[in-house]
Amino acid sequence: MNKMAIILAAGQGKRMKSKLYKVLHPVCGKPMVGHVLDAVRNAECDRTVVVVGHGAEDVKTALGESVEYALQAEQLGTGHAVQQAEALLGQEDGVTVVTYGDTPLVTADTIKELIAHHVREGAAATVLTADVAEPLGLGRIIRGEDGSVLGIVEQKDCSPEQAAIREINTGTYCFDNRKLFSALSDVTNDNSQGEYYATDVIGILRGRGERISASKCKNPAEATGVNDRIALGEAERLMRQRINEAHQANGVTIIDAANTYIEAGVTIGADTVIYPGTFLRGATSIGSDCAIGPSADLTDTTVGDGATIRQTVAEDAEVAEGCNVGPFAYLRPGTKLGRRVKVGDFVEIKNATIGDESKVPHLSYVGDAIVGSGVNIGCGAITANYDGYNKSMTEIGDNAFIGSNANLIAPVKIGSGAYVVAGSTITNNVADNDLAIARERQVNKPGYADKIRARARAKKNQETE
Ligand code: UD1
Ligand code: CA
């Protein structure tokens, strides 16, 4: 059986009061319409048409080439939007799922069940419904005395009795494809909003004597439609909970799930512990047996097994197994830490490779550098990689020792096994196993401290007289 899907994503979403088109607002890091597309795809639909209008180019950029697009130039209603897919799908036999780009919580399992129910019942149309506590603003499911679905009435067209109904239209349906497009041509805009409603297809098919069915969603949270920022916040909360529970089911310990923010694309290995206040974003991937947080904020970062990352911000970084990062480290794009590297407090690393078992324990900046293995970078040592115009590289060989507060003025190379004395400002390359010292020799003046204090005291007395 041919399975198709149509996702409506042409609306502007005025109630969002946003420059960003509604369906592109992210929920747990992914545009709403991206979640809907995932659900449709995982429900094994063979062809998917996304109806675009407002922000068409942006929506296409977000979703890519794997779907087909139909343009709804003017937003005349959801029924009119579905009709725009007719040129692409109208001649097909099979079933078509219609769903809305602003219902990000609908799952693939629910869509699969909807299709199975529809086929089992031999229906022309099956509506996915939900019983909700607060139906305000949603389409109500009107049933006859025998319980069969007669139609859907929008909030604004409801009688007081209909408004009291708690069973609502989730905005996801399954149709016989040909019957869908045939009924759409009968939809009018004779209603309080002057729109062509997709929901009217149900009543029209019913009027033609077709079989209409309803499948009730087990989890009403899936019906959450996002029309404003309040609903967006609610969708985010529900999605966050779903994501966290999926990781917990896979063996991840989350100390405080209500205070842990993991985006949709993140992977985490078993026996990793996530501490509160942690944000894991984008394509971040965490290994097994790690300890992450409290208050780690990692974006597009890969972390190997057994690593510890405390209060740290990382972006586009690679942290190999067994590393110990933080507290209060900043790993900027292009950071690559080898195995068992230590990056301690108030250390910033950018575009730099740090070899296995090297240590940058405190108060350092390492930028545009290639650091070998077994290197120790002392407290406060830095690479001076920028002259105001150019970025230059620093290379440090294996097992080199960089003393505290050294300034390595790039471009510069420190050989392997070399020793840079604390407080040195290094402008010339240092060969393997050499010692470099670049600082004034110390002078001690015996008893001079008392003399200098006396002079200072006299100056102060003079000023206050
Ligand atoms: C719609 C349903 C309502 C249901 C609710 C579930 C209709 C008439 N009403 O109401 O029964 O309970 O969803 O959340 O369908 N869109 C277009 N082109 C248009 C109009 C809308 O592509 O011309 C898209 C929007 O981008 C949006 C979706 O269709 O993603 C739904 O439109 P929206 O205006 O949000 O409908 P609701 O009022 O929420
Ligand atoms: Ca909506």
Side-chain angles (χ1 to χ4, degrees):
M1 186 188 57
N2 203 2
K3 282 192 270 179
M4 295 154 277
I6 300 172
I7 300 175
L8 304 191
Q12 182 181 16
K14 284 202 187 76
R15 286 166 282 179
M16 297 296 281
K17 307 225 165 91
S18 178
K19 292 182 285 303
L20 189 63
Y21 302 104
K22 177 165 76 172
V23 298
L24 292 179
H25 275 265
V27 169
C28 293
K30 180 183 282 204
M32 283 196 259
V33 65
H35 286 287
V36 177
L37 178 57
D38 285 353
V40 160
R41 217 177 246 154
N42 293 330
E44 286 144 18
C45 293
D46 312 303
R47 284 178 74 182
T48 300
V49 175
V50 180
V51 180
V52 293
H54 278 286
E57 289 314 310
D58 294 351
V59 175
K60 286 182 182 177
T61 305
L63 298 181
E65 301 291 308
S66 65
V67 295
E68 298 167 72
Y69 294 97
L71 182 70
Q72 185 193 24
E74 233 187 320
Q75 281 62 55
L76 303 179
T78 49
H80 178 257
V82 178
Q83 230 168 3
Q84 307 314 305
E86 188 166 6
L88 290 167
L89 301 180
Q91 298 311 309
E92 301 283 339
D93 290 313
V95 297
T96 298
V97 172
V98 171
T99 186
Y100 297 166
D102 66 350
T103 54
L105 287 141
V106 66
T107 62
D109 284 348
T110 295
I111 293 175
K112 275 188 194 166
E113 255 178 62
L114 172 71
I115 297 171
H117 179 108
H118 175 87
V119 170
R120 211 167 43 234
E121 297 272 309
T126 306
V127 195
L128 182 69
T129 73
D131 289 328
V132 298
E134 189 42 84
L136 191 71
L138 297 167
R140 305 300 201 281
I141 304 298
I142 311 300
R143 291 184 184 258
E145 277 170 10
D146 60 352
S148 65
V149 176
L150 303 179
I152 302 171
V153 179
E154 290 305 295
Q155 170 82 42
K156 286 183 178 150
D157 305 304
C158 274
S159 67
E161 297 78 47
Q162 289 170 333
I165 295 170
R166 293 279 171 87
E167 187 183 11
I168 58 93
N169 168 30
T170 63
T172 297
Y173 324 75
C174 186
F175 294 100
D176 172 275
N177 187 64
R178 287 190 183 266
K179 289 175 182 168
L180 166 65
F181 288 110
S182 153
L184 276 170
S185 58
D186 281 3
V187 172
T188 68
N189 63 354
D190 181 16
N191 53 54
S192 64
Q193 301 188 85
E195 287 184 6
Y196 296 86
Y197 292 160
T199 45
D200 283 356
V201 166
I202 302 298
I204 289 166
L205 287 173
R206 167 90 194 189
R208 291 182 184 178
E210 295 287 357
R211 188 167 166 66
I212 308 299
S213 186
S215 170
K216 204 176 272 185
C217 207
K218 288 192 204 89
N219 176 10
E222 286 188 37
T224 307
V226 176
N227 295 326
D228 58 26
R229 306 271 184 157
I230 295 168
L232 182 67
E234 180 63 4
E236 177 90 17
R237 188 185 67 77
L238 291 165
M239 184 69 78
R240 178 158 70 236
Q241 183 180 352
R242 182 188 291 173
I243 290 170
N244 286 349
E245 284 175 3
H247 289 298
Q248 288 168 323
N250 288 338
V252 176
T253 293
I254 299 179
I255 301 292
D256 181 3
N259 191 14
T260 301
Y261 307 84
I262 303 174
E263 288 188 354
V266 172
T267 61
I268 309 176
D271 285 319
T272 282
V273 181
I274 312 289
Y275 290 90
T278 290
F279 292 75
L280 302 178
R281 308 175 199 258
T284 291
S285 156
I286 311 281
S288 306
D289 302 301
C290 294
I292 309 294
S295 302
D297 186 343
L298 313 184
T299 303
D300 298 331
T301 288
T302 306
V303 179
D305 295 343
T308 296
I309 302 189
R310 287 189 279 166
Q311 293 87 344
T312 286
V313 175
E315 197 183 333
D316 213 349
E318 287 172 37
V319 175
E321 64 194 59
C323 284
N324 186 354
V325 179
F328 313 114
Y330 184 19
L331 307 182
R332 291 171 52 199
T335 296
K336 291 193 174 79
L337 307 185
R339 283 167 289 175
R340 294 177 294 285
V341 164
K342 155 106 182 148
V343 172
D345 51 282
F346 308 107
V347 170
E348 174 176 334
I349 300 192
K350 183 215 78 169
N351 185 35
T353 301
I354 314 279
D356 294 351
E357 316 220 352
S358 287
K359 294 189 172 87
V360 194
H362 1 249
L363 299 161
S364 283
Y365 171 60
V366 180
D368 300 312
I370 299 170
V371 177
S373 58
V375 169
N376 189 89
I377 297 190
C379 179
I382 61 133
T383 57
N385 61 325
Y386 186 50
D387 60 11
Y389 298 92
N390 312 292
K391 301 272 167 70
S392 301
M393 293 295 295
T394 300
E395 284 176 48
I396 302 177
D398 294 345
N399 303 312
F401 183 96
I402 310 299
S404 292
N405 234 32
N407 300 311
L408 308 179
I409 312 292
V412 71
K413 287 185 192 180
I414 311 295
S416 56
Y419 197 106
V420 171
V421 170
S424 294
T425 292
I426 300 295
T427 51
N428 299 324
N429 292 348
V430 180
D432 293 357
N433 296 311
D434 279 4
L435 179 141
I437 180 163
R439 64 187 192 205
E440 286 284 297
R441 224 170 237 293
Q442 183 171 331
V443 178
N444 288 359
K445 302 195 172 180
Y448 204 84
D450 277 344
K451 219 189 254 178
I452 214 161
R453 271 193 289 270
R455 199 193 287 163
R457 207 179 302 122
K459 186 170 179 222
K460 187 165 185 202
N461 290 343
Q462 213 171 16
E463 278 169 5
T464 50
E465 262 164 23

